[in-house]
Amino acid sequence: MQIILKAEREKSLLRKHPWIFDGAILRETGRPRLGATVDVLSHDGTWLAKAAYSPHSQIRARVWSFNAATVIDNNFFKNRILTAQAKRADWLAQQDTNAYRLVAAESDGLPGITIDVYDKVIVMQVLSAGGEKHKDKLVQTLASLYPDSCIHERSDVEVRKKEGLELVVKTHVGELPEKVLITENGLKIEVDLINGHKTGFYLDQRLNRKITGSYCRDKDVLNCFSYTGTFALAAMQNKAKSVVNLDVSDNALATAKRNMALNFDADICNKVTHLKADVFEQLRVYKDAGTKFDLIVMDPPKFIENKNHLVKAARGYKDINRLACDLLREGGMLVTFSCSGLMQSDLFNKIIADAALDANTDLSFITRLHQDSDHLIAASFPEGYYLKGLVCVKTASV
Ligand code: SAH
């Protein structure tokens, strides 16, 4: 089965970018089905890649390999996973953690497949037709490489439907504990493997929590979209004066409370408030009341699912960041993020600049933040860079 590209459309593949969009395809041979392995050829018949076919997606095929001899078998998955492990080995040796991203999908040569390790539990998320087709090989390989681990699948993400796949949650090997205790930067954190976001937790913010914490000494901190309160843990580890964890989810706030108690005595826990409220509304409540903070963390969920959402999302980001500027004392810090891959870094900077202008304050970007090193980005796959953040300091407008 083959995909033959239109003239000039092989350029991205020659640069080892792994996606083949439907608009680049001239014709197909052999009627490939969902997840089938196809050979990709240029217009003049030159062999380019082996890819997994996705009939329902705009990304019509995702490359498994740029080597014609590759066979998609257990050994293929073993090599990919061992390479992924090796890429992270030096980084991991320096970390105080038992939870990390082992495979970052396209960036580790396994399109649509994410694998996270939470101590003795491996959680995989399979979002591509190719990954689904070969899932048994992936599970067998993980089981042989990590014989003591439970292997759980959290493929309960809506984007699977774009690939023509049903949502799946399944424990493939071993028994899934409801919760697992992980460590990160000297902190203990409870991860809910059943209901937790993504594969259970936001591992990508690990380094940013550490950096943010380092700015929190003696500060009044507002942690917006706090989820399980891990920015608050980093803040209290660094002796913040007070923290408010702000989130709409009762469950997340209850876990945040437990996480606090796991790490600190009652005196310190009492400095942390858990407030269930909508961030957009609560920031206005604080503004009206004249409440001020020294450091505000703004880590909203993904506002952008597709390009059509960009303008609305930009408005949302601007709104909350403008309000945050209002609530900061002079010299205060805003630590603000966007986890949407579709939000380019330059545009995000501009939105924050506009927010500061509207709030009539001067902001300086003192540190640029990004996803932690285990969420690595293949040089050929810039889309892998999705999490961006800015540490900003506020001064009066001059
Ligand atoms: N900062 C967290 C991750 C945030 S995830 C960490 O590092 O772990 C996004 C969180 O925003 C979720 O917990 C969700 O419940 C919350 N949320 C979504 N919309 C919200 C809103 N409008 N107001 C308050 N919280 C919201």
Side-chain angles (χ1 to χ4, degrees), residues 53-349:
Y53 188 74
S54 293
H56 307 294
S57 172
Q58 267 192 342
I59 304 173
R60 187 54 49 87
R62 293 163 194 259
V63 173
W64 284 126
S65 174
F66 293 98
N67 177 350
T70 303
V71 180
I72 315 305
D73 56 10
N74 286 24
N75 210 31
F76 166 81
F77 285 103
K78 184 176 170 193
N79 286 335
R80 286 285 196 260
I81 292 167
L82 290 178
T83 303
Q85 187 84 63
K87 282 196 254 181
R88 289 157 175 81
D90 286 346
W91 170 83
L92 195 55
Q94 297 169 42
Q95 299 299 307
D96 164 31
T97 192
N98 57 354
Y100 61 97
R101 178 146 298 181
L102 170 62
V103 167
E106 273 77 350
S107 287
D108 285 303
L110 291 175
I113 298 172
T114 297
I115 304 173
D116 288 341
V117 173
Y118 295 100
D119 194 23
K120 291 279 179 236
V121 181
I122 293 175
V123 184
M124 56 186 224
Q125 191 165 73
V126 178
L127 304 183
S128 59
E132 185 67 23
K133 169 119 182 142
H134 296 282
K135 195 155 72 187
D136 53 342
K137 302 184 182 79
L138 179 63
V139 171
Q140 285 163 15
T141 307
L142 284 169
S144 72
L145 290 175
Y146 307 95
D148 301 334
S149 291
C150 164
I151 301 171
H152 182 61
E153 180 180 2
R154 278 287 304 272
S155 301
D156 51 347
V157 189
E158 287 294 312
V159 290
R160 262 179 71 103
K161 293 185 181 160
K162 284 194 195 168
E163 291 272 313
L165 306 171
E166 296 297 314
L167 308 194
V168 178
V169 175
K170 186 177 171 189
T171 303
H172 292 275
V173 177
E175 211 168 304
L176 182 73
E178 213 174 297
K179 287 176 181 150
V180 63
L181 205 59
I182 63 163
T183 52
E184 167 188 298
N185 303 323
L187 292 161
K188 298 188 204 86
I189 300 169
E190 174 188 309
V191 173
D192 179 342
L193 293 169
I194 295 172
N195 304 306
H197 291 184
K198 308 228 276 187
T199 62
F201 184 61
Y202 292 89
L203 294 166
D204 50 2
Q205 290 282 29
R206 182 191 308 105
L207 175 63
N208 300 332
R209 287 189 273 264
K210 188 175 179 179
I211 293 170
T212 304
S214 74
Y215 290 117
C216 287
R217 197 179 181 96
D218 295 328
K219 304 267 174 76
D220 290 317
V221 176
L222 174 61
N223 183 18
C224 298
F225 307 98
S226 60
Y227 191 47
T228 55
T230 43
F231 276 97
L233 294 178
M236 292 324 283
Q237 187 182 38
N238 287 277
K239 304 196 165 35
K241 199 197 288 174
S242 72
V243 181
V244 178
N245 276 330
L246 181 56
D247 202 285
V248 278
S249 158
D250 279 323
N251 253 339
L253 288 169
T255 309
K257 248 187 212 173
R258 285 197 298 275
N259 277 334
M260 234 352 118
L262 271 174
N263 290 278
F264 303 108
D265 62 25
D267 277 355
I268 294 179
C269 291
N270 287 339
K271 295 178 183 176
V272 182
T273 312
H274 294 87
L275 182 58
K276 182 185 175 185
D278 180 290
V279 168
F280 291 84
E281 289 168 16
Q282 185 60 31
L283 294 178
R284 289 180 164 83
V285 171
Y286 281 137
K287 191 179 171 185
D288 292 345
T291 311
K292 298 277 179 188
F293 296 91
D294 301 303
L295 188 146
I296 298 178
V297 178
M298 196 59 75
D299 184 24
K302 205 166 161 182
F303 289 150
I304 315 173
E305 291 299 340
N306 60 54
K307 282 184 184 146
N308 304 333
H309 294 169
L310 199 56
V311 173
K312 190 159 171 252
R315 253 185 252 131
Y317 282 114
K318 188 173 154 192
D319 186 37
I320 48 178
N321 285 290
R322 177 180 50 78
L323 286 160
C325 288
D326 288 335
L327 300 185
L328 281 173
R329 296 190 178 110
E330 233 179 274
M333 280 180 168
L334 171 64
V335 184
T336 185
F337 297 96
S338 166
C339 63
S340 300
L342 290 167
M343 170 68 76
Q344 303 276 313
S345 186
D346 285 352
L347 177 59
F348 187 56
N349 292 359

